[in-house]
Each structure stands twice: as structure tokens, then as C-alpha cells.
């Protein structure tokens, strides 16, 4: 199975996603983790593929301290940016971090099944 895991870049979100990716890869699945680029080197040492999560950084006109905007406005922008990658990536399933709803929304946009981590 080819699985996309989508998680925010904070350690509390990225670490569980990378751990799950390791377990899935060990079980024979092909996994790509979409998260912050700062985890790319650590993931590569474990043989994992990490791609940058599109739209993760706040835009100049966005208030990065507004949690509501992060969970809705930015998530919608991220979902529309991520959807084309999911659509063309040959994925069978998307695992979306509980707070990074952009993964679930992007999966919905392209008709992929998703579950929440």
C-alpha cells in the first residue's frame, strides 16, 4: 500500500508521524511523510521519505498567533496546495495528524480515503 502521512512540523506532531511511517515501512508499505523540512535529514537516516508540507509557513498577511486561523484558513490553503500532490502520487490512503486537518481536507478533495493520527 502507498500511504501519505501529513503532520505539522512541531515535534509533537512530526515524531508520531515519523514513528508510524517507520512501522508502516517495516510492514512493507511505501510511505511518504509531508511535514516540515527540518525533519528531512533525521527521516532520511531512518530510510524515510519526507516531503515539505505545502503552505506550512504563515504568509505575510496571516497572524501566526491566531490558532483559529491556523486550523481553518491556513489549513484550507494548505489543502488546496497538497491536493494535486496526493492526486498524482499514487496513494491509497492518507493519514492526517489530528491538528493538521489539511491532510484530511486534501484527501477529501481528491477522493482518497483518510484516517486521523
Amino acid at each position: 500500500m502507498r500511504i501519505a502521512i501529513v503532520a505539522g512540523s512541531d515535534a509533537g506532531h512530526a515524531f508520531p508521524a515519523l514513528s508510524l511511517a517507520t512501522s508502516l515501512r517495516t510492514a512493507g508499505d511505501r510511505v511518504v511523510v509531508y511535514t516540515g523540512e527540518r525533519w528531512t535529514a533525521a527521516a532520511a537516516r531512518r530510510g524515510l521519505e519526507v516531503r515539505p508540507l505545502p503552505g506550512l509557513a504563515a504568509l505575510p498577511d496571516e497572524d501566526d498567533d491566531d490558532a483559529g486561523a491556523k486550523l481553518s484558513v491556513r489549513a484550507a490553503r494548505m489543502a488546496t496546495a497538497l491536493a494535486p500532490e496526493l492526486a498524482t502520487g499514487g496513494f491509497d490512503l492518507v493519514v492526517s495528524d489530528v491538528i493538521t486537518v489539511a491532510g484530511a481536507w486534501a484527501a477529501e478533495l481528491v477522493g482518497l480515503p483518510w484516517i486521523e493520527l
Side-chain angles (χ1 to χ4, degrees):
M1 182 177 280
R2 185 153 165 83
I3 302 168
I5 301 176
V6 181
S9 61
D10 291 339
H13 302 279
F15 286 3
L18 294 171
S19 179
L20 177 61
T22 300
S23 295
L24 290 168
R25 191 200 58 195
T26 300
D29 294 301
R30 294 173 295 144
V31 183
V32 175
V33 179
Y34 290 90
T35 190
E37 292 183 70
R38 69 183 183 171
W39 306 114
T40 303
R45 288 191 296 274
R46 293 190 168 108
L48 299 174
E49 181 180 355
V50 171
R51 295 183 187 165
L53 179 55
L56 189 57
L59 295 177
D61 63 337
E62 292 177 332
D63 179 0
D64 205 34
D65 293 326
D66 183 344
K70 279 185 188 178
L71 295 174
S72 58
V73 176
R74 190 181 316 173
R77 178 174 53 78
M78 291 167 63
T80 57
L82 179 60
E85 291 195 36
L86 296 181
T88 60
F91 294 107
D92 301 299
L93 175 69
V94 175
V95 178
S96 184
D97 175 74
V98 66
I99 277 217
T100 315
V101 297
W105 291 355
E108 286 285 337
L109 286 171
V110 300
L112 285 172
W114 62 275
I115 57 175
E116 191 172 78
L117 170 64

